[in-house]
Amino acid sequence: MNPTHQHITQELLFQLDQKQKQIGEYLLSCDLDYTDRVGIMDGLAGMALTLSLYYRCTGDERFFDKMNQTIDLIHEKLYTGKVTSFSYCSGLSGYAWLILFMKENDIIEVDLDDYLLDIDQMLLRSVMLMIEEGKFDTLHYAVGIGFYFLKRGNFEILEKIIVALYNDRKKIGGYLTWSMINFTSKTEVVDLGLAHGLPGILLFLYRCYLKQVLPQKCSEMLRDNISLMFNLINISGKPSFFPSSIECDKFLQYDSKQNFSRLAWCYGDLTALYVLLQMSPDFTAQMDIIQQLEQVAQRRSDAETLVNDAGFCHGASGIAHIFSRLYQQTGYICFDDAAKYWMTRTLMFGNHIEGLAGYAFPDKNIRPLDLLVGITGVGAVLLSFQNPELMNWDESMLLM
């Protein structure tokens, strides 16, 4: 199913066209040596991905040339020892994922086994060290690199990650699950966000399950943790269905009626429910989750959403894209309406005289050229909003 958005006004179409052109021209003019990070979410691979989308959409050779310049620069950084991260978000596995994606979509011609031979060996050693240290974070550690090896088809290393996850579980509130140290509070928590928590791990396990990689172990972990998530849910959905996280030592006293989490890709109801929906053929009830997502689509006030920029991670463009993806999957008009609303908000954030292509980001820690939080992600969303055939780029954001 590839339905196009319904009843888009000429004014919105004009604004979309103008803004995507403005971002495109900025990307063509920007200095590529702005970072040593090479990952797909917050590195040069994300820049190359968006440039490839611009090329596929426009046929303008300037984007293809800049994309190749970006890949050449990554290659240079790799073989001069400037790449020190192996993570999916920031490092080598994100770049390796990009090469697979571009080959798969006939954007580049490359002998994968030859090109990725040394990279695969480095990533294999890195994953084994992460497993030994019990580091499974989706963006930065073993599960994230596991998403690359899923695409690569290396089932042997996937089995090692699955077994390590199976053995790393501990009993929390009557469930065998995983905990992490919260970056802000430094407390041990069960994390409910796609970026660092249960939804990302469950998505990885489900994709392994579909590939029949240790399916019994995957199924056991999936069933136990899906049950955990449904027992944490605030069935009213007000103020939200899920919390962002729960401190482990407060698990037994947890009151779901107090649930609150932002509306975003990184945390909150939208991607928690999105991941549960993807598992509906085998583990969850599709219509129940769609009804909950329909309720989430009505959350739009600042107090309900905490949205204050356009970035993909926790801003308006990511929300617009996820609702577009939900509309693609279901054909439900409420998701189309929500996508158009959040696309309009995305464009409204791009009216700053200063900033990159009109976008200014209030958080000074944000890297404004990154796919995850900056204008390359906004550009990718704008392009695929009008061109659903380009939407498969969101596999880079764990949404396919």
Side-chain angles (χ1 to χ4, degrees):
M1 179 185 297
N2 286 299
T4 56
H5 293 286
Q6 302 296 307
H7 309 301
I8 300 180
T9 65
Q10 289 300 312
E11 176 63 19
L12 179 56
L13 285 172
F14 176 77
Q15 292 178 14
L16 283 167
D17 186 60
Q18 293 300 108
K19 183 55 69 176
Q20 71 186 33
K21 286 178 179 177
Q22 186 182 4
I23 292 174
E25 291 300 322
Y26 189 91
L27 297 183
L28 287 173
S29 67
C30 72
D31 181 0
L32 288 175
D33 212 5
Y34 65 92
T35 181
D36 281 333
R37 299 185 185 210
V38 299
I40 192 70
M41 291 185 175
D42 68 358
L44 288 167
M47 170 70 74
L49 176 63
T50 297
L51 289 167
S52 77
L53 295 177
Y54 269 96
Y55 173 66
R56 291 165 66 189
C57 183
T58 67
D60 188 334
E61 293 288 340
R62 294 180 301 161
F63 292 111
F64 187 73
D65 292 342
K66 189 75 176 258
M67 178 199 78
N68 281 325
Q69 291 173 29
T70 310
I71 293 173
D72 288 345
L73 180 59
I74 296 171
H75 192 80
E76 177 188 325
K77 290 179 182 295
L78 175 60
Y79 287 98
T80 55
K82 293 183 180 179
V83 178
T84 57
S85 169
F86 297 98
S87 83
Y88 180 79
C89 177
S90 307
L92 188 58
S93 58
Y95 169 58
W97 180 93
L98 174 74
I99 296 301
L100 294 178
F101 177 84
M102 288 189 163
K103 171 71 172 181
E104 183 177 83
N105 288 276
D106 298 320
I107 300 166
I108 60 172
E109 294 183 9
V110 63
D111 183 327
L112 292 176
D113 290 334
D114 180 59
Y115 189 86
L116 295 173
L117 178 63
D118 292 340
I119 292 175
D120 282 351
Q121 291 304 310
M122 286 187 277
L123 292 176
L124 285 167
R125 289 193 294 270
S126 178
V127 165
M128 294 311 298
L129 181 61
M130 291 172 183
I131 286 173
E132 289 177 16
E133 296 175 346
K135 295 180 177 179
F136 298 100
D137 182 279
T138 302
L139 263 61
H140 300 300
Y141 292 113
V143 170
I145 300 177
F147 277 105
Y148 161 69
F149 281 118
L150 260 168
K151 196 168 185 66
R152 186 78 169 107
N154 187 328
F155 288 5
E156 183 177 351
I157 192 62
L158 295 178
E159 289 181 357
K160 293 182 185 299
I161 297 171
I162 291 166
V163 170
L165 281 168
Y166 190 86
N167 294 334
D168 194 66
R169 297 171 302 163
K170 58 184 175 181
K171 203 87 167 192
I172 302 174
Y175 295 93
L176 283 170
T177 190
W178 305 273
S179 65
M180 64 168 287
I181 301 300
N182 181 271
F183 297 131
T184 303
S185 68
K186 307 303 181 185
T187 56
E188 189 176 8
V189 300
V190 174
D191 189 295
L192 276 295
L194 176 61
H196 304 289
L198 280 186
I201 294 174
L202 296 184
L203 190 61
F204 169 73
L205 291 173
Y206 183 57
R207 291 184 182 174
C208 290
Y209 172 84
L210 293 176
K211 295 286 187 181
Q212 290 296 289
V213 185
L214 299 183
Q216 290 185 326
K217 276 188 166 57
C218 289
S219 177
E220 181 180 340
M221 288 186 280
L222 286 164
R223 292 184 189 282
D224 204 32
N225 283 279
I226 290 170
S227 177
L228 180 155
M229 289 187 70
F230 280 126
N231 280 326
L232 294 177
I233 203 168
N234 173 7
I235 200 65
S236 75
K238 297 179 180 179
S240 69
F241 287 103
F242 292 103
S244 295
S245 64
I246 302 173
E247 293 184 22
C248 293
D249 61 2
K250 298 178 181 178
F251 213 87
L252 294 178
Q253 294 79 41
Y254 174 71
D255 180 4
S256 66
K257 293 179 181 178
Q258 304 302 313
N259 282 357
F260 179 72
S261 53
R262 69 188 307 153
L263 196 66
W265 171 87
C266 52
Y267 280 93
D269 292 346
L270 188 52
T271 44
L273 291 167
Y274 178 90
V275 169
L276 291 171
L277 181 64
Q278 305 318 301
M279 297 186 285
S280 61
D282 302 289
F283 295 99
T284 59
Q286 183 183 62
M287 289 310 302
D288 289 347
I289 298 171
I290 287 176
Q291 288 172 3
Q292 290 160 349
L293 282 164
E294 288 178 314
Q295 189 169 328
V296 173
Q298 303 308 312
R299 287 174 57 184
R300 297 183 181 180
S301 72
D302 291 345
E304 290 176 308
T305 63
L306 304 183
V307 174
N308 62 6
D309 68 44
F312 194 94
C313 180
H314 50 261
S317 68
I319 300 170
H321 186 83
I322 295 165
F323 279 121
S324 289
R325 171 57 73 184
L326 287 167
Y327 178 55
Q328 291 289 315
Q329 291 183 355
T330 68
Y332 279 52
I333 296 299
C334 66
F335 299 140
D336 183 39
D337 290 341
K340 288 182 289 190
Y341 171 81
W342 286 105
M343 181 53 68
T344 301
R345 289 287 303 274
T346 299
L347 293 168
M348 289 172 60
F349 280 119
N351 291 324
H352 295 271
I353 296 174
E354 297 181 356
L356 308 190
Y359 286 100
F361 298 92
D363 185 344
K364 299 304 180 184
N365 295 315
I366 282 179
R367 294 169 296 277
L369 279 173
D370 290 347
L371 187 71
L372 184 61
V373 295
I375 64 167
T376 52
V378 176
V381 170
L382 294 178
L383 290 172
S384 55
F385 188 82
Q386 294 185 82
N387 304 278
E389 69 277 8
L390 298 180
M391 193 172 277
N392 66 342
W393 73 270
D394 65 8
E395 184 185 349
S396 67
M397 295 297 183
L398 315 179
L399 293 177
M400 277 187 69

